[in-house]
Amino acid sequence: MISVGIRLTDQVFPGPEEPIAVFPGGTENPKQILDGIDKEGVAHIKRIILNRTANVEFLRAESPSRIWVRLQNHITDTTLTFREPFPLKSKLEIRKDGYALAPIDERVYRRCRIIETENENGLIQIFFIDDATTAWVKSECLAIMDEHYMFYPWQAIQISMFGVYPSVVDHSGKLEQLWSIQTCNKLSQILRAFPILRVQVALSTVVFNDYAKPIPVKLFGIPPGVEEREYHYRAMSISQILEGGLPMPAEPEEEAKDDVDSDEEEVLETGPSVRKEEVDNKPPEIVCMDLYDAAFHEIFDVAERDQIPTEPLDIHCEFPKDWKESDDAEEEEKKEKEEELYSKDSLTVKLEHADWDPRLNKIEMMTVKELGEKFRFSEDDKEPRIMLAVEGRCTKSPYEWYARPIVKTGKNKREENVAWGTDSDLREVDETDWMLYGNDQLTSVAEQLDTFYSNTKNRKPLRTVEIQAMMQEKRDVFAVCAVNEEKANYTGEWQRVLIVNCDQFAEVRFLDSGGRDMVLTSSLYRIHEQHCRFPPMCLRFAIHGVSTRLNSGREDGKWHSNEIARFRMCLREDTPIFINIADIVPLPAPMDKERRVHMARHVLMAKDVSYMDETRSLLDRFLNDEDSVNAVRNPELPSQWPPF
């Protein structure tokens, strides 16, 4: 979807003000701009992009073209609000479009973006990205935003009323389509009357590559006192209220009186007859149209601009000199722990026991021989084979896919049950039981890890310099990683990983659930010796004897996206797969100068895959000549068989 949007917007629409992804051109796929600070020192923070109906709360309305809202489950008041004690450092470098922390209230800081650098009055314009408010401040009050907080998206979301246009007016002797101040004030009054707003994202034939473009929506208000199950049919159209077709919901008299614009008060004083005459002769300020494609939705400016203040508020003048960075008791405890853990003269950790030493704690990878001994499916088979469950969500290409061996036990083979720490006897009757048992194994290990590492006493950070030092020594570095909540729901919060690369971020391979990902180095911790006693539960495979046809000219051997989609469909994950033990060999470890993306350590190469309920193998399906995206045979890739 993003690629389509980028190609269209680059050719038909103006260039993006704040791109979501970069488009290299040619046959390359778009690459999303990552959060954090890039190599040029530029900070990036993603925004939330709505693509369906959502219930939100109102923040601010600049005009019907630019309205700021926030999801009801936002984290502004908890994770993204900074009060004492908290480590804050004054920000010295002021860069346009950079990020900082700024006071939004007395001794309360929140995230902001620098919109304009110093003007003639020495003021900087900032925008609070979680509250959608603008302020003019002195640079002395700003604080540095730690990169950790750049991985939370903007909590404020900019939307635009779809199908609502300003009428053409005479502005300074020139006919223009601009929003009047009266219309903007009226819209704010209407939106404040609703405790909850409901946005329905308008469909578009173009996916725009621009965070700064407001999301076109149909906007509805949920009247006070309405229960959630009634939202759908009790919602009131904001455009119809603004146009005058629907009445506003009732609100307290005092609030209504405060929101009345001064211009309206003057009209009321002239008497009913004058007001009626003005209304009758006044042309409509807005025009509502029934539109269906948001691709060509237009954004209109406001007729008058806000005045720039000459003096900032008191809280925006300087950084609090007596700001308390830490709690004294907590700081003392932290210092004692650091002195106990680290030596002053070395990077070597002063551990009370070798059980936590990352240089000694190694997870042994299974050899092909061990696979055959421990996980042979049936002794009655003429050709020994193993049964596995595919982790389809982790499949990246025919040269990188993941599967978990499923323990199949029989008489006098109870020892196989404890291969991964499970001790239950198994009497499977069909493939469903085998798949469920394999999943139970993964869940059991995840619970063990979660129970152990959820205790803060068992979490010992693994520093970046230590990781890089061990990798320079050509060591495998193993750790436990704290994963995000979405992944944790399925595979546990704490997972065993093999660190593949470590720089600003760490690339890790999940040893039990499968797949690779980029994680923060701060999420990596030392693994205890007891969790290194059993081998990885998920193995990484590459299919031998095939190569890309659509990307045949590429030197790096990268597969085309259509071929990857075809392979994922052919590699079934709804039923166990079987691989003959004789058809498995290790893929040679990559050389230092190896650039091919599929070359990695601890990868197994398989000749083919068979299924219990199919006569056709994986390669029979994948190399089908009748399909336009079939691969081609190549006995040299990803490596010769057997490898030399």
Side-chain angles (χ1 to χ4, degrees), residues 89-104:
K89 301 295 182 184
S90 297
K91 186 174 180 63
L92 302 178
E93 181 184 4
I94 305 299
R95 176 187 293 185
K96 189 177 185 297
D97 293 332
Y99 290 93
L101 299 180
I104 197 170

Side-chain angles (χ1 to χ4, degrees), residues 395-410:
T395 300
K396 293 185 179 294
S397 76
Y399 293 163
E400 183 180 356
W401 51 278
Y402 298 82
R404 285 181 290 109
I406 302 175
V407 179
K408 173 66 173 72
T409 61

Side-chain angles (χ1 to χ4, degrees), residues 600-618:
R601 292 171 59 83
H602 310 301
V603 180
L604 297 176
M605 202 161 48
K607 275 190 176 180
D608 206 350
V609 171
S610 61
Y611 305 96
M612 178 171 292
D613 56 352
E614 270 196 66
T615 56
R616 294 194 305 168
S617 68
L618 171 62

Side-chain angles (χ1 to χ4, degrees), residues 98-100 102 110-114 126-129 142 145:
Y99 290 93
R110 282 187 178 164
R111 303 187 302 169
C112 72
R113 188 177 198 180
I114 299 171
I126 63 172
F127 179 80
F128 289 97
I129 62 176
L142 298 180
M145 183 194 299

Side-chain angles (χ1 to χ4, degrees), residues 37 56 99 168 181 263 267 366 469 473 490 520 565 593:
I37 301 174
V56 298
Y99 290 93
V168 179
I181 294 297
D263 293 337
V267 172
M366 278 188 293
E473 298 170 4
Y490 299 97
L520 295 171
K593 297 182 180 180

Side-chain angles (χ1 to χ4, degrees), residues 617-643:
S617 68
L618 171 62
L619 288 186
D620 290 337
R621 294 159 57 93
F622 189 50
L623 298 175
N624 184 4
D625 293 335
E626 298 177 359
D627 195 285
S628 59
V629 293
N630 64 304
V632 295
R633 292 190 179 275
N634 189 334
E636 301 295 323
L637 290 177
S639 180
Q640 294 180 348
W641 186 288

Side-chain angles (χ1 to χ4, degrees), residues 349-368:
V349 179
K350 293 166 111 182
L351 298 171
E352 65 277 6
H353 200 280
D355 288 348
W356 293 99
D357 191 344
R359 295 175 180 272
L360 299 178
N361 293 344
K362 181 179 180 181
I363 300 175
E364 294 294 336
M365 301 291 179
M366 278 188 293
T367 64
V368 177

Side-chain angles (χ1 to χ4, degrees), residues 31 90 96 111 137 222 268 294 303 307 321 419:
K31 297 180 179 179
S90 297
K96 189 177 185 297
R111 303 187 302 169
V137 305
I222 308 298
L268 289 172
Q307 293 184 349
K321 295 180 180 179

